């Protein structure tokens, strides 16, 4: 009886501790292509900012961006973590206006913005004062 209880408790804890990941359906999307194509980049930004239509992958991102931001991307796949880092660094370095609009919407208190900008500075990215 004790063994069954221990097994049940272990199974329960394992299910609680297992973190459900976001879908990996779009993990192979070409991030560089989007970042290098201003039209595509603006379309994705407009989707996230409720200024335009969303592609299926844009909608997926929009559905999870707040949660990913607030949980440190704990449900992200490795490809999503790497892609997010690439995108954030690019926006901070090259698209300050888009970065500001996104952080104003999704991080109005600036809690996460500071973390990502500090990480960018550590990589040598110069961040101009707004």
């Amino acid at each position: 009886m004790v063994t069954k209880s221990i097994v049940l408790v272990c199974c329960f804890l394992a299910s609680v501790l297992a973190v459900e990941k976001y879908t990996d359906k779009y993990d192979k999307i070409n991030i560089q292509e989007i970042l290098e194509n201003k039209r595509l980049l603006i379309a994705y930004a407009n989707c996230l900012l409720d200024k335009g239509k969303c592609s299926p992958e844009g909608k997926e991102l929009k559905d999870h961006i707040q949660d990913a931001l607030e949980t440190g991307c704990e449900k992200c796949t490795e490809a999503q973590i790497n892609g997010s880092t690439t995108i954030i660094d690019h926006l901070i370095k090259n698209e300050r206006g888009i970065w500001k609009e996104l952080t104003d919407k999704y991080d109005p208190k600036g809690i996460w913005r500071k973390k990502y900008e500090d990480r960018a500075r550590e990589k040598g990215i110069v961040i101009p004062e707004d």
Side-chain angles (χ1 to χ4, degrees):
M1 187 67 165
V2 172
T3 306
K4 283 185 178 180
S5 296
I6 291 171
V7 170
L8 285 174
V9 168
C10 288
C11 288
F12 174 75
L13 287 175
S15 68
V16 169
L17 296 175
V19 176
E20 184 181 326
K21 298 288 186 182
Y22 302 128
T23 182
D24 62 357
K25 184 177 180 179
Y26 301 109
D27 280 9
K28 297 201 184 303
I29 193 166
N30 187 334
I31 300 293
Q32 283 309 126
E33 180 182 356
I34 295 167
L35 296 177
E36 293 170 4
N37 183 320
K38 188 77 165 194
R39 183 186 59 76
L40 281 176
L41 180 61
I42 289 172
Y44 277 98
N46 284 343
C47 162
L48 294 173
L49 294 166
D50 300 319
K51 293 180 174 182
K53 293 181 181 179
C54 293
S55 64
E57 58 273 14
K59 183 180 179 333
E60 186 73 26
L61 174 60
K62 185 176 177 179
D63 288 345
H64 299 293
I65 192 170
Q66 192 71 50
D67 180 65
L69 180 68
E70 292 174 2
T71 64
C73 218
E74 72 179 16
K75 297 178 188 174
C76 294
T77 65
E78 193 66 31
Q80 291 162 357
I81 292 169
N82 293 336
S84 297
T85 299
T86 299
I87 292 166
I88 290 169
D89 290 350
H90 177 85
L91 294 177
I92 289 171
K93 184 176 181 180
N94 302 301
E95 301 290 345
R96 296 290 298 161
I98 294 172
W99 173 246
K100 182 170 180 354
E101 282 187 82
L102 289 170
T103 56
D104 286 352
K105 177 176 177 74
Y106 292 100
D107 185 24
K109 293 181 181 175
I111 297 166
W112 305 104
R113 178 182 182 165
K114 179 175 178 1
K115 172 187 166 185
Y116 293 116
E117 289 182 354
D118 286 347
R119 186 187 68 203
R121 282 186 190 92
E122 289 172 7
K123 293 179 178 180
I125 296 173
V126 177
I127 302 173
E129 296 298 320
D130 291 330

